[in-house]
Each structure stands twice: as structure tokens, then as C-alpha cells.
Amino acid sequence: MAAIVLNGKVLSREIEAGLAIRVAALKERSRGEVPMLATILVGGDPSSATYVRMKGNACRRVGLASLPITLPETASTDDVLTAVKTLNADPRVYGILLQHPVPRQVDERLCFDTIELRKDVDGVTSLGYGRMALGEPAFNSATPGGILTMLRHYGIALEGKEAVVVGRSAILGKPMAAMLLNANATVTVCHSRTHDLELVVKRADIVIGALGKPEFIKAAWIKDGAVVVDAGYHPPGVGDIELPGVIGRCAAYTPVPGGVGPMTIATLITQTVQAAEHLGKTPV
Ligand code: NAP
């Protein structure tokens, strides 16, 4: 049987079509006021600038306003904190995105944790992560949240499955593992000190590649019938998993590009709309 293509590009456009209707209803309710997502870009990293621009474009497609804040490469932690606090206090702003990574001298964790929970639409605060992990209401970390939405949309069974997450970052691997655990998968998290990664990956019914190294996870490590999710993207267009050699014998896979990336943005935008619908209350 042909593998299911977990097509984030198509699914994200479907999600956006539904969001545009909800944003139009919000505008009508608030007599024309347009809910806003604020983005903070610190420094000149071209990939980060592209991601922020793509997020602004997605806002426009669904009818949200976006407020792009750009800070120089030399910005201090205090500079970023001032921007976050200003946006926390701005009633027009329903969501705040601080683009990761920030330059080395900035305390990213402190800046993330200064974002008010009700505006944490990218799901980066410690409190939001803790609440999500405990199954309490909170916005999801955008990339793993998008992956979970995609797996559910395509009817991928998670309960009782062996899920292996390769990578344990605060924005991706760890929240992904917590979400899969909450969905009753049996979860193993791998990292740079994992012994015999190949052996662990070979057990997986569901593999999540989130380590940031081009085609590091080899096709030969992936068992027949597995579900293959690749969060990585490396120009000119490969992920963290060696996809050729898997496509013909896996159950489902995310294309690179067009798999996980668009779902990250769709999750961010969905959660911004939810924040506006809840009118500043704690996320539900
Ligand atoms: P990160 O912060 O650099 O974390 C990488 C993780 O991979 C770390 O936990 C690290 O382990 C682990 N790792 C590194 N080398 C390894 C190895 N040889 N074996 C096993 N694990 C290893 O990266 P990230 O921000 O989570 O991003 C991961 C990937 O996802 C990147 O390709 C990034 O571009 C992509 N990404 C995509 C999106 C999207 O929207 N599509 C969003 C975010 C990230 P240690 O903890 O031991 O160092």
C-alpha cells in the first residue's frame, strides 16, 4: 500500500480557510478591531527573518494584523524584555512570538518566560510547557503542536505505539514527547548522549526527527510500516531523516519541505485566533 503523505502544506491551507471565517467573526464582534500577532526578531539571521516574514504573511492570509518588531544583533536581554513587556501591556496584541534562536548574549529563557501566558501563542513559556505536560489548558509549543494536529488529521494511531523522538530541545523534542505521552504512546526521547541510536530508532512505530543534522537518521534504521515525521529542514531541501529508501515502505511520512514547517505556522496562527476569541483569558 502506498504511504500516506502527511501534507502540511495542504492541511495548513485548510486550517487557514477556517481561521479566516473566525477572524471575520471576531472583527464583526469588535466593530472592526483587528486582532494582532506581534513578532520580535533579534538580529539579522536570514533564516529567522524568513520565518518571521512567513508568519506575517500567514496573518495577512487569515485577516489578522501583525506587528513586526526588529531588534539589532547587539540587543541586550533588557532590550528584549522591554519589548516583551510593552507587548504584554498592549491591548491590541493577542499573541507574542519571540523568534528562536536569539543572539548568544540574550537570556532567551528569561525573555520567553516574561511573555504572559495568555499571549504565549508560540507555546514557549515554562509555565505553558508544564501545564501542557500535565494535561492542563495551555497553548501548545507550535512545532510539536502542529505535528500532533497533522497526525490526528491523517488518522495516525498513537495509543500504545512506540514513539521515538530524536532531539530534546525545549521548543521541540521535550514538548513533542509530552504530547505523545499524553496521547498514550510509549515514548523514548533520544539525544546526543544516547547509546546506539540506530537500535532505538529501529524499534519505533513513529519516528520524530528533531535533531538539526541533515539526513542523520538513516533510511535503513527505520522499520517497515513506521510513521516518519521530519521536523528538520536544510537547504536545498532535505530534513533530519534520509527519506529516499523509506517512502516506498513506510506507512506515512512528512515531505521536506511542505510537511512540518507549514503546520508550525498554522498552529501559531490558530493559537493567536484562540487567544483573541478568549479575549485575554487563560487559554483553554
Ligand atoms: P536544537 O535546539 O539544536 O536541539 C537539537 C537536539 O538534537 C538536542 O536535544 C541534541 O541533543 C539532539 N542531538 C544533536 N545531535 C544528536 C545526535 N547525534 N544524536 C541524537 N540527538 C542529537 O534544535 P531544535 O531547535 O529542537 O531543532 C531541531 C530541528 O528541527 C532542526 O533541524 C530545526 O531546523 C528544526 N525545526 C523546525 C521547525 C519547523 O517549523 N519546521 C521549528 C523548529 C525547529 P543534546 O540535548 O544532547 O544536545
Side-chain angles (χ1 to χ4, degrees):
M1 211 173 70
I4 300 169
V5 181
L6 305 171
N7 193 326
K9 202 168 170 185
V10 167
L11 178 56
S12 64
R13 291 305 167 112
E14 280 174 33
I15 291 171
E16 284 182 6
L19 291 175
I21 294 166
R22 286 162 62 182
V23 172
L26 275 168
K27 280 187 207 163
E28 208 172 290
R29 210 166 72 191
S30 60
R31 296 196 188 89
E33 189 208 326
V34 185
M36 192 181 270
L37 170 69
T39 60
I40 307 174
L41 174 65
V42 189
D45 176 63
S47 304
S48 293
T50 301
Y51 294 141
V52 167
R53 200 167 47 247
M54 287 164 76
K55 289 163 187 176
N57 291 343
C59 282
R60 269 187 291 287
R61 286 196 297 270
V62 303
L64 289 173
S66 63
L67 175 63
I69 310 278
T70 307
L71 298 176
E73 188 73 41
T74 52
S76 65
T77 298
D78 274 348
D79 295 333
V80 182
L81 287 176
T82 300
V84 170
K85 287 175 187 167
T86 304
L87 297 170
N88 278 341
D90 188 333
R92 300 168 305 158
V93 172
Y94 286 93
I96 301 171
L97 165 98
L98 171 59
Q99 183 64 40
H100 162 86
V102 293
R104 207 176 284 254
Q105 75 278 8
V106 175
D107 183 340
E108 184 179 80
R109 179 46 44 205
L110 180 62
C111 295
F112 277 160
D113 284 341
T114 302
I115 298 172
E116 280 189 15
L117 192 63
R118 69 197 165 100
K119 298 192 180 187
D120 179 24
V121 293
D122 202 31
V124 294
T125 60
S126 305
L127 184 56
Y129 169 78
R131 289 176 65 95
M132 178 279 295
L134 294 174
E136 298 294 326
F139 290 125
N140 280 329
S141 179
T143 302
I147 292 171
L148 199 73
T149 300
M150 185 158 56
L151 293 174
R152 291 201 188 290
H153 173 84
Y154 284 98
I156 305 296
L158 301 175
E159 185 158 326
K161 300 292 181 188
E162 281 259 3
V164 172
V165 181
V166 186
R168 58 170 168 182
S169 72
I171 61 152
L172 216 175
K174 281 179 183 159
M176 184 79 260
M179 286 174 205
L180 290 165
L181 185 61
N182 288 345
N184 295 320
T186 301
V187 183
T188 303
V189 185
C190 301
H191 46 79
S192 64
R193 319 287 167 86
T194 296
H195 289 176
D196 209 341
L197 183 64
E198 175 176 349
L199 200 70
V200 183
V201 171
K202 276 184 168 161
R203 289 205 313 258
D205 300 312
I206 301 162
V207 186
I208 313 281
L211 75 159
K213 294 186 173 163
E215 297 192 325
F216 190 88
I217 300 172
K218 303 301 171 201
W221 303 0
I222 292 172
K223 78 175 179 190
D224 289 355
V227 173
V228 180
V229 175
D230 196 338
Y233 176 73
H234 311 276
V238 297
D240 291 352
I241 302 177
E242 197 181 48
L243 262 187
V246 174
I247 290 172
R249 54 185 186 80
C250 66
Y253 70 96
T254 54
V256 178
V260 172
M263 291 305 298
T264 299
I265 297 178
T267 304
L268 172 76
I269 303 299
T270 298
Q271 293 185 154
T272 304
V273 173
Q274 287 171 343
E277 287 173 340
H278 300 140
L279 298 171
K281 291 193 211 108
T282 308
V284 291

